[in-house]
């Protein structure tokens, strides 16, 4: 999955950013000097089995569709972010939603992952996009072989202890439908803690929620899986952390 592919050695942190959603020029150097903070919650799912081995290894799970096919390693993911509170300078980021889909590829020992795309909800302003881009440079400090800013599409985002649902363009472009794990001992969230998530200095743990379905339905990189990995997580990061 959009992700924690940072191991205990933090190898990936040695490589540059590729989230070039907004690139400041000489006329706008302040984008990297402005004080900022972000607290945001993600609904996330991927093609790996529960729980995604990418958080513990340098390659994703293997997949094959028949006994005759050679196994492939990939982690095709969706992440729908909702900003709980935050700012970039005087720009309020609260309530902004955006969607990231992609594939981590076969492995990332060289610090490079395969592809990713981002969609913003149409309500997100240009100033909010610039602020979110400045944060992502530190929250997701990796390189992608391909990264694209795609068309704005409405994002629906709902969650409670029993279900989490995120839809891009009503589910036509992408969807995630997560459920409380049937193996849980009670109705309380099943939480994994003390595991690194990307470059986040703080988070409240991985709330385990396997998916009923998760997929990205746009273009040549479309994919879908069911019964695979899913979780929610709330991260907190600010300019003092970096």
């Amino acid at each position: 999955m959009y992700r924690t592919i940072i191991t205990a050695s933090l190898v990936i942190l040695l490589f540059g950013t590729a989230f070039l959603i907004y690139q400041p020029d000489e006329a706008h150097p302040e984008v990297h000097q402005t004080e900022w903070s972000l607290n945001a919650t993600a609904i996330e799912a991927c093609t790996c089995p529960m729980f995604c081995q990418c958080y513990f290894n340098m390659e994703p799970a293997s997949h094959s569709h028949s006994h005759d096919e050679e196994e492939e390693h990939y982690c095709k993911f969706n992440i729908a972010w909702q900003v709980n509170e935050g700012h970039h300078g005087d720009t309020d980021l609260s309530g902004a939603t955006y969607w990231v889909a992609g594939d981590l590829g076969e492995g990332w020992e060289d610090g490079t992952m395969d592809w990713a795309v981002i969609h913003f909800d149409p309500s997100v302003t240009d100033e909010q996009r610039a602020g979110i881009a400045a944060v992502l440079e530190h929250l997701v400090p990796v390189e992608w072989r391909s990264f694209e800013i795609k068309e704005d599409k409405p994002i629906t985002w709902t969650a409670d202890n029993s279900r989490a649902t995120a839809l891009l363009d009503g589910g036509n472009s992408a969807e995630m439908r997560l459920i409380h794990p049937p193996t849980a001992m009670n109705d309380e969230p099943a939480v994994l803690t003390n595991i690194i998530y990307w470059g986040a200095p703080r988070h409240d743990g991985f709330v385990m929620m396997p998916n009923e379905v998760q997929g990205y339905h746009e273009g040549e990189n479309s994919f879908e899986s069911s019964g695979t990995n899913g979780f929610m997580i709330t991260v907190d990061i600010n300019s003092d952390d970096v």
Side-chain angles (χ1 to χ4, degrees):
M1 112 223 127
Y2 175 34
R3 314 155 344 133
T4 64
I5 318 334
I6 302 176
T7 66
S9 63
L10 299 181
V11 172
I12 293 175
L13 290 177
L14 299 177
F15 296 84
T17 178
F19 267 91
L20 304 180
I21 304 166
Y22 177 87
Q23 188 139 22
D25 55 26
E26 294 180 359
H28 300 89
E30 68 278 2
V31 73
H32 288 308
Q33 301 170 1
T34 304
E35 185 265 340
W36 53 264
S37 68
L38 182 80
N39 181 284
T41 301
I43 297 174
E44 184 166 341
C46 71
T47 52
C48 290
M50 192 77 180
F51 181 65
C52 180
Q53 73 177 48
C54 298
Y55 293 91
F56 303 95
N57 299 285
M58 292 299 289
E59 66 178 15
S62 61
H63 308 267
S64 64
H65 302 290
S66 73
H67 295 296
D68 298 328
E69 288 185 349
E70 183 178 350
E71 289 190 342
E72 295 180 84
H73 288 264
Y74 56 81
C75 179
K76 299 178 181 181
F77 64 87
N78 284 287
I79 310 170
W81 285 97
Q82 178 172 269
V83 179
N84 302 315
E85 57 182 358
H87 65 275
H88 181 262
D90 294 331
T91 301
D92 185 7
L93 304 179
S94 302
T97 54
Y98 54 99
W99 192 292
V100 182
D103 183 2
L104 300 181
E106 295 182 354
W108 41 85
E109 289 186 357
D110 64 352
T112 304
M113 299 175 188
D114 198 1
W115 64 269
V117 298
I118 186 168
H119 296 268
F120 288 98
D121 186 271
S123 64
V124 181
T125 67
D126 289 344
E127 292 78 12
Q128 288 177 320
R129 294 169 200 234
I132 289 168
V135 175
L136 288 178
E137 181 175 326
H138 302 285
L139 181 60
V140 189
V142 301
E143 291 186 357
W144 301 93
R145 294 182 181 90
S146 171
F147 181 84
E148 295 183 73
I149 306 166
K150 292 290 192 177
E151 179 184 357
D152 289 1
K153 292 181 181 291
I155 297 171
T156 305
W157 197 106
T158 59
D160 56 31
N161 283 355
S162 61
R163 299 188 67 86
T165 302
L167 304 175
L168 184 65
D169 191 23
N172 295 315
S173 294
E175 61 183 324
M176 289 181 282
R177 304 177 192 273
L178 279 52
I179 59 172
H180 187 64
T183 53
M185 297 176 66
N186 53 49
D187 293 336
E188 295 299 311
V191 183
L192 173 67
T193 61
N194 197 31
I195 298 294
I196 290 171
Y197 181 82
W198 292 108
R202 292 170 297 280
H203 65 73
D204 65 357
F206 297 80
V207 181
M208 309 285 218
M209 301 183 79
N211 70 73
E212 292 179 324
V213 63
Q214 72 97 22
Y216 184 71
H217 310 309
E218 293 278 313
E220 62 181 12
N221 288 324
S222 62
F223 61 84
E224 185 173 301
S225 66
S226 60
T228 55
N229 182 61
F231 63 86
M232 294 183 63
I233 192 168
T234 298
V235 303
D236 187 85
I237 185 171
N238 61 60
S239 51
D240 289 339
D241 295 317
V242 297

